[in-house]
Amino acid sequence: MFLPRRVFRLAAGAAAGYLLAVRPWHLRWGATDREVHEDLPGDDIVPLPQLQATRAVTVDAPPPVVWAWVVRLGGYPGPGTRPGARPGPGPDARAEAAGEPAQPPHDLKPGDVMDGGSFVVERIEPPHSLVLADRGADATTTCSIALRDTGGGTRLIYRLRMRGEPTVRGAAHVAMTDVGDFVAMRRQLLAVKTGAESAR
């Protein structure tokens, strides 16, 4: 009986540590109190989220440069891409493979399907804000990006809002996103920062 109790205590301690320390940190990684609590474009699409995360990073480059990297690294449909289709390697991928500078992405517009075919451009105001929405069978999710000019630099703010369907699959979808989104988005935010600052 000793081993199961010990394992249970370790599992309970790990869960408590995640909920009390790790989760609050990653749900607002890099963001100020004001950024966490302010309204961002797209918040109204998921009015009562079960999961909300606001993350931010300061980039030493002007908003138009940061915007180009946000769109480039976020995935965008190439000209002539069918809605819902996964685009193949575009001019950016071919240029980078050849060691050449990537070309600016084509203009996004509401209704465009992002790379992977799940998120759709809901609203867009270059180079200030981009709202993506995924109205899936298990959950409705929005990803909002806001760029704020800091006078020579840019404050890049990212917000995730999600509400799952009242099903086991919906609850599982929210739980998996709670853990997995931070790893992916932290990498994306830092990649945008590195790319935009090196381009400058």
Side-chain angles (χ1 to χ4, degrees):
M1 296 295 293
F2 176 75
L3 182 59
R5 289 181 181 176
R6 184 178 181 184
V7 172
F8 175 78
R9 291 194 195 100
L10 288 174
Y18 173 75
L19 292 174
L20 296 176
V22 178
R23 187 173 188 268
W25 168 75
H26 82 61
L27 288 180
R28 54 168 299 163
W29 178 82
T32 65
D33 288 340
R34 179 178 179 179
E35 290 165 346
V36 168
H37 297 294
E38 71 177 320
D39 293 332
L40 289 183
D43 282 357
D44 58 302
I45 298 174
V46 183
L48 297 172
Q50 295 163 327
L51 171 62
Q52 174 169 309
T54 305
R55 294 152 184 149
V57 67
T58 299
V59 185
D60 186 19
V65 175
V66 178
W67 176 266
W69 280 91
V70 165
V71 176
R72 179 177 292 118
L73 293 179
Y76 61 92
T81 300
R82 293 177 291 103
R86 184 179 182 87
D92 283 348
R94 291 193 295 269
E96 290 169 2
E100 301 170 358
Q103 298 300 312
H106 89 292
D107 292 333
L108 285 174
K109 62 184 181 302
D112 277 349
V113 181
M114 303 300 280
D115 188 9
S118 58
F119 279 93
V120 176
V121 177
E122 191 80 17
R123 301 168 192 168
I124 185 168
E125 186 182 345
H128 305 294
S129 64
L130 173 65
V131 179
L132 308 176
D134 178 10
R135 295 177 173 83
D138 299 320
T140 298
T141 308
T142 56
C143 296
S144 302
I145 294 171
L147 303 185
R148 307 280 170 76
D149 193 330
T150 62
T154 302
R155 188 68 173 160
L156 167 56
I157 306 168
Y158 163 84
R159 176 169 292 164
L160 169 79
R161 285 167 69 94
M162 173 181 285
R163 184 164 187 83
E165 294 297 316
T167 62
V168 173
R169 286 173 57 92
H173 193 78
V174 173
M176 288 187 295
T177 303
D178 188 307
V179 176
D181 182 72
F182 170 65
V183 176
M185 288 314 305
R186 180 178 182 275
R187 184 171 58 244
Q188 285 287 82
L189 291 174
L190 292 177
V192 169
K193 175 180 173 66
T194 299
E197 290 180 348
S198 64
R200 186 183 184 190

